[in-house]
Amino acid sequence: MAQITILLVEDNKAMLDGMKDLLEISNTGYDISVLPASDGRQALALMSDHLPDLIVSDVMMPNMGGYEFLDEVRQKSEWRHIPFIFVTAKGEKEDKRQGKLSDADLYITKPFVVTQLLELIRIQLDRTQARLQTQQQLADSLKKDLLQILNHEFRTPLTYVTAYYEMLADNALQAENGRDYSEYLRGIQAGNVRLSRLVEDFIMVMELRSGEAQEKFYRQARPIEDIAILLHNIVEERREEAASLNVQLDFDSPLDLPAIWGNRRGIQNIFERILDNAIKFTAAYKKRSKETGRVTISATAVAGELHIAIQDEGMGIPAYALDNIFDLFVQHDRNSMEQQGAGIGLTVAQGLVELHNGRIEVVSSEGSGSTFTVILPVYTEDSGRCSGNDVARNDRKQTNILVVEDNALQRVGLEDLLDTYDGRYQFNIRAAVNGLEGLEQIRQTVPDLIISDIMMPHMDGYQFLQAVRENPKWQHIPFIFLTAKGEKQDEFEGFRRGVDEYIVKPYDSDDMIRFVTKQLDKHFHAQMVQAQTFNELKRSIINLITPEFRQPLDAVSESSQKLAHSLQKAETDQDLKQSLEGIYAGSIHLSRLIENMIALAELRTGETETAFQMRAFPIPNLGTMLHESCQMKIHDLHVQGWPIHCQFNDDLPPIYADTTTLFTAIQHLIELGTTYCQPTTNRTIFMRVEKTDERTVSITIQFSTALNEKHQQLFTELLATEMPEWSEMSGSTTKLLISKGYVALHNGRIQITNDDGLSFIITLPAHQPGNNPH
């Protein structure tokens, strides 16, 4: 049974105590605890310490009344999602109108029927819990997709580099002169190019988000007067590749297209990405029927704007997915495309188009292909850069409303009323005459709001509402009943079934618009909060891809080119060996960067914690296990000139640990010390494991030399912070963050001292039976 906290705000002591007892002993399916408050001010103080799951409040109270309290709650973004119910004696018609038009979810008048009040509270809690569960499922799905993308898109091309290197290393120095190794080199270069493009895409996203791309654009933008030739060249460069995939490219554009203002490479980047997608998806879709696919590129000037359309014959995108296709890491039906990519290309394309004061419009449907139209303002000398169309563009938020009403006059009347609205939303209205038609409309385009009658043929409003609420993809849609059923019991029945608003015909036009905008405000705020949560996760993943990747990628590329030249010129074995060593060093560096990046991503998404819970077990003697597991590392350190001396006490209390993550953390800390400690002739490591007290065990890794002041400050700050800035990420950063995250899984911590040499001190709690971490 889920534990729920309800904040009950009531100035009448007898009523407060009575409702508190009623809620805590009620049979709602929840274990309810009540926070009592006598007015809004006291309630706000309680909310600062205890965030409730639902609020029930009176209206008339001293110090701070119900409406003022409601306003305070709704002004805080982190509180706006909390269901708020007014229970009040103010029951006149105008009082009810004011209450329903407020930001409260329900307005219930005293005296109330106890069973009905409890039922409405249960419905609010049920819907809140369902929304939270859906959001968690979406977050879990996103985390899974992100890890799948990182593992596939980074490890696959890395495999090309390492595997082909190994084949070269096995054969190149032993083979006869003249043997063709071009296939091996092409494999290395293909993997390297794919990785390079992926890294550059990640870096481009960071530059777009940080403002660095905007600064570059302002410095480099110029009039582009040969846009038709630029587009023609992009198409011609891809014609041969498209033909090999059985895709025909058609280019239709006049040569005298007007100039645009922009960055030439940025414009190329935009159209290369969209065209590459069009070719890829057309080829994949037509492969099933073995037909020749067609991609058409056309350009026209329209009213001060340049429209460049790329139309494909791919599988198309369903309506529900169109709103999110430009979001980072979003891919439609990834499982059907083996080489779909990382879900970054359209994000970058849109960001670059917006730098040019443009926009991208998409028309698509399943089975009929897609058309991406890039719209850019025409450059004019009078305006200095571009025409003013972008300033005048309608910035009202596009909003889809579904009206379901069997009475044609009333349906048209409501549509006309909504058409007159000239506020912050642009209403796009679709209509249906009953619930069945309404469901079909939702399948085509998921609306932002539903307004429905109750009494309708074939499927009435109650059945329609139930069908909407039972679909996890639709349960978030605000739903308004607009009906002639005006009895109090009718209204209760509507709210009991999960409607968000209940409006009785005939209605006041101004009130109707307020009800609509109230529900839309709540709906879009909930979407914004969810998007912020997802964006934080995406940003934390993007932060892991840094310019540091460029160095080994460049090294692999340079060495493989040099090797190709050496093989062609039949140079000495020493020359070949140096080139192979260059490829090897670059690939090893890349491997470590990628593995560390994925390790951090798994920490960020919670995947490591899940694995910890499966792998961890009580370890009775950590010292013995460490000694056995570290023998290979001890040997390697001796070879590198870092002899290590270990001291493991025998009387250690058991700890609850996952040896994989714990040993990796220790290994990373040793690598950091051997890399960044100041050079000296006396290089030694001391590692000891000892009992700090009856409740803790410490692992100390001490180096004979110290860090310089710069690295000491960096390491100290990293251990005290959650996530550094993107520009500050490096190899040392990722290793220390991974170690910190792995130790934290064990409910432990890492400390650093640098007085008589660098020391990392890992402190872990002793295992108490029945009290495992997490």
Side-chain angles (χ1 to χ4, degrees):
M1 187 179 294
Q3 294 185 334
I4 294 294
T5 300
I6 294 179
L7 176 59
L8 180 60
V9 192
E10 169 65 64
D11 62 325
N12 184 301
K13 183 68 165 56
M15 178 67 74
L16 181 67
D17 292 341
M19 290 185 66
K20 180 176 183 295
D21 293 341
L22 175 67
L23 290 170
E24 290 183 335
I25 66 173
S26 62
N27 184 22
T28 58
Y30 295 95
D31 181 8
I32 295 176
S33 61
V34 175
L35 291 174
S38 59
D39 59 48
R41 189 167 298 168
Q42 186 181 3
L44 288 174
L46 287 172
M47 290 182 70
S48 298
D49 298 324
H50 307 282
L51 196 64
D53 300 288
L54 183 139
I55 299 171
V56 178
S57 176
D58 193 7
V59 171
M60 297 181 294
M61 297 178 292
N63 299 321
M64 180 183 287
Y67 286 115
E68 187 179 355
F69 171 48
L70 173 62
D71 289 341
E72 292 288 335
V73 170
R74 293 300 187 233
Q75 284 175 16
K76 283 204 171 187
S77 179
E78 62 270 30
W79 293 354
R80 285 192 63 178
H81 70 281
I82 302 174
F84 194 112
I85 300 175
F86 274 137
V87 179
T88 175
K90 293 175 69 66
E92 298 297 323
K93 183 177 180 180
E94 185 57 32
D95 294 326
K96 292 180 180 179
R97 174 179 174 273
Q98 181 184 3
K100 294 182 71 172
L101 286 171
S102 73
D103 274 336
D105 294 274
L106 291 174
Y107 189 91
I108 300 172
T109 57
K110 303 173 184 174
F112 51 80
V113 178
V114 171
T115 55
Q116 290 186 355
L117 174 64
L118 294 177
E119 180 71 3
L120 293 177
I121 288 174
R122 184 188 65 79
I123 292 297
Q124 289 293 322
L125 291 172
D126 285 350
R127 292 196 59 200
T128 300
Q129 294 301 307
R131 280 194 292 265
L132 291 175
Q133 183 178 2
T134 300
Q135 290 172 6
Q136 186 60 51
Q137 289 171 347
L138 289 171
D140 291 343
S141 177
L142 174 62
K143 292 174 184 178
K144 180 181 177 181
D145 290 346
L146 288 177
L147 290 177
Q148 181 182 351
I149 288 168
L150 291 178
N151 276 284
H152 183 269
E153 296 302 322
F154 277 89
R155 282 188 169 135
T156 299
L158 179 63
T159 302
Y160 294 161
V161 176
T162 55
Y164 280 109
Y165 159 75
E166 289 171 1
M167 287 189 282
L168 264 175
D170 288 342
N171 294 290
L173 299 180
Q174 304 171 11
E176 300 175 358
N177 288 339
R179 183 168 178 181
D180 185 10
Y181 293 100
S182 58
E183 182 182 350
Y184 298 155
L185 290 170
R186 280 198 298 270
I188 292 173
Q189 284 287 23
N192 198 64
V193 167
R194 184 170 163 186
L195 265 177
S196 298
R197 287 175 178 170
L198 189 59
V199 169
E200 292 305 321
D201 282 354
F202 273 76
I203 292 172
M204 174 62 76
V205 171
M206 284 305 304
E207 290 179 348
L208 285 166
R209 294 190 170 191
S210 67
E212 187 177 341
Q214 288 87 332
E215 294 176 7
K216 287 183 180 178
F217 176 81
Y218 295 143
R219 291 196 306 268
Q220 300 171 356
R222 300 287 186 276
I224 301 176
E225 298 177 341
D226 60 343
I227 185 68
I229 296 174
L230 178 62
L231 292 171
H232 176 267
N233 291 340
I234 292 171
V235 173
E236 290 304 312
E237 287 171 1
R238 281 153 180 76
R239 193 175 294 281
E240 183 178 347
E241 177 190 357
S244 70
L245 297 171
N246 202 23
V247 175
Q248 178 179 325
L249 300 184
D250 293 336
F251 180 57
D252 179 19
S253 169
L255 289 175
D256 58 344
L257 289 174
I260 61 171
W261 177 269
N263 175 285
R264 191 177 191 85
R265 182 65 198 112
I267 292 294
Q268 287 178 316
N269 200 333
I270 292 165
F271 292 108
E272 286 171 353
R273 290 176 186 276
I274 298 176
L275 182 54
D276 287 345
N277 273 355
I279 295 170
K280 176 174 63 177
F281 287 109
T282 298
Y285 191 64
K286 292 295 184 179
K287 185 177 181 180
R288 306 169 188 175
S289 61
K290 298 183 179 180
E291 298 176 357
T292 299
R294 185 184 300 271
V295 173
T296 303
I297 305 94
S298 60
T300 54
V302 181
E305 294 178 328
L306 186 61
H307 291 220
I308 301 109
I310 298 177
Q311 181 178 3
D312 66 48
E313 293 182 348
M315 60 186 174
I317 307 167
Y320 69 83
L322 284 173
D323 289 341
N324 302 318
I325 59 172
F326 294 104
D327 290 354
L328 185 62
F329 299 131
V330 168
Q331 298 171 314
H332 170 60
D333 197 14
R334 177 180 175 85
N335 292 333
S336 69
M337 294 291 293
E338 295 180 3
Q339 300 292 335
Q340 197 179 85
I344 300 175
L346 287 179
T347 303
V348 172
Q350 185 187 49
L352 292 172
V353 169
E354 289 175 351
L355 281 183
H356 291 77
N357 285 328
R359 64 191 187 276
I360 305 178
E361 295 181 353
V362 186
V363 177
S364 184
S365 60
E366 287 185 283
S368 301
S370 306
T371 301
F372 285 76
T373 303
V374 177
I375 301 173
L376 300 169
V378 169
Y379 169 74
T380 61
E381 293 183 3
D382 292 339
S383 63
R385 287 193 176 181
C386 58
S387 66
N389 287 21
D390 58 298
V391 178
R393 191 177 302 144
N394 187 356
D395 59 357
R396 298 165 69 196
K397 185 172 183 60
Q398 298 294 313
T399 304
N400 295 316
I401 297 179
L402 174 60
V403 174
V404 186
E405 168 65 69
D406 62 324
N407 185 298
L409 290 177
Q410 294 186 17
R411 185 175 63 250
V412 172
L414 179 58
E415 291 180 36
D416 290 344
L417 170 64
L418 296 173
D419 280 337
T420 64
Y421 175 73
D422 193 30
R424 57 188 173 278
Y425 298 113
Q426 175 67 54
F427 296 152
N428 303 312
I429 302 165
R430 301 170 73 96
V433 300
N434 57 53
L436 287 176
E437 285 193 15
L439 291 175
E440 186 57 36
Q441 289 280 10
I442 297 174
R443 292 186 188 100
Q444 296 177 23
T445 302
V446 178
D448 300 299
L449 175 69
I450 298 170
I451 304 173
S452 176
D453 192 9
I454 292 178
M455 296 180 289
M456 297 179 293
H458 306 300
M459 176 182 279
D460 64 23
Y462 292 139
Q463 295 168 317
F464 177 41
L465 172 61
Q466 181 180 350
V468 171
R469 291 291 180 247
E470 287 177 349
N471 189 320
K473 295 180 179 179
W474 301 345
Q475 64 183 6
H476 66 283
I477 305 172
F479 199 117
I480 296 176
F481 271 150
L482 179 59
T483 175
K485 294 171 69 68
E487 298 298 322
K488 192 170 184 178
Q489 182 62 32
D490 296 325
E491 186 171 333
F492 164 74
E493 186 63 24
F495 284 119
R496 187 188 72 81
R497 292 173 180 264
V499 79
D500 294 277
E501 199 66 74
Y502 195 98
I503 303 171
V504 178
K505 303 173 184 177
Y507 54 83
D508 180 89
S509 298
D510 291 338
D511 287 354
M512 171 58 73
I513 293 296
R514 291 173 190 168
F515 285 128
V516 167
T517 55
K518 167 188 169 180
Q519 292 301 327
L520 289 172
D521 288 345
K522 290 171 61 178
H523 171 66
F524 287 121
H525 178 266
Q527 282 189 350
M528 180 192 71
V529 171
Q530 180 172 303
Q532 286 176 344
T533 302
F534 289 175
N535 286 336
E536 287 172 7
L537 176 61
K538 293 175 182 180
R539 185 166 57 249
S540 71
I541 299 300
I542 279 288
N543 277 345
L544 305 179
I545 316 300
T546 72
E548 187 181 15
F549 276 80
R550 287 174 172 153
Q551 180 183 349
L553 285 166
D554 291 344
V556 171
S557 178
E558 182 180 344
S559 296
S560 60
Q561 290 173 6
K562 183 178 179 182
L563 180 59
H565 178 77
S566 299
L567 288 168
Q568 185 178 11
K569 298 295 184 181
E571 295 183 2
T572 66
D573 286 354
Q574 184 62 33
D575 292 327
L576 300 181
K577 185 176 180 182
Q578 287 179 354
S579 298
L580 285 170
E581 287 174 348
I583 296 174
Y584 174 73
S587 64
I588 290 297
H589 191 180
L590 268 178
S591 297
R592 289 173 178 169
L593 285 173
I594 289 171
E595 293 306 318
N596 287 342
M597 173 202 69
I598 292 175
L600 272 179
E602 290 173 341
L603 278 168
R604 297 262 185 281
T605 59
E607 186 72 14
T608 312
E609 182 173 345
T610 301
F612 174 89
Q613 292 170 353
M614 297 174 60
R615 297 192 305 233
F617 62 95
I619 298 177
N621 195 321
L622 177 63
T624 301
M625 184 165 287
L626 273 178
H627 183 267
E628 293 173 354
S629 302
C630 290
Q631 289 305 306
M632 183 63 71
K633 188 65 180 177
I634 290 171
H635 175 268
D636 291 343
L637 287 168
H638 275 283
V639 172
Q640 296 168 20
W642 280 95
I644 182 168
H645 303 283
C646 302
Q647 178 183 341
F648 303 132
N649 292 354
D650 295 329
D651 60 341
L652 299 175
I655 66 166
Y656 193 80
D658 164 35
T659 56
T660 301
T661 51
L662 182 58
F663 294 166
T664 300
I666 293 171
Q667 180 174 320
H668 281 340
L669 294 177
I670 292 174
E671 290 172 356
L672 286 172
T674 57
T675 303
Y676 294 101
C677 279
Q678 297 179 26
T680 178
T681 55
N682 178 27
R683 302 198 302 181
T684 309
I685 303 172
F686 300 92
M687 185 164 71
R688 60 183 182 273
V689 183
E690 56 193 345
K691 177 172 67 176
T692 310
D693 53 44
E694 293 301 324
R695 294 179 296 179
T696 56
V697 173
S698 68
I699 304 169
T700 302
I701 307 166
Q702 182 178 1
F703 299 83
S704 57
T705 57
L707 292 172
N708 62 32
E709 185 177 344
K710 173 185 174 183
H711 283 106
Q712 179 183 353
Q713 181 179 355
L714 173 64
F715 287 8
T716 303
E717 290 176 353
L718 283 174
L719 290 174
T721 189
E722 283 296 319
M723 182 69 181
E725 291 298 320
W726 173 70
S727 58
E728 298 172 357
M729 292 287 286
S730 65
S732 60
T733 305
T734 54
K735 285 183 179 179
L736 191 54
L737 287 174
I738 290 168
S739 298
K740 176 184 172 184
Y742 285 175
V743 170
L745 288 173
H746 296 77
N747 285 342
R749 68 183 187 277
I750 301 175
Q751 296 170 288
I752 182 174
T753 64
N754 198 41
D755 299 328
D756 299 322
L758 168 66
S759 289
F760 291 110
I761 305 166
I762 301 173
T763 304
L764 301 170
H767 173 59
Q768 304 295 328
N771 186 26
N772 301 333
H774 309 283

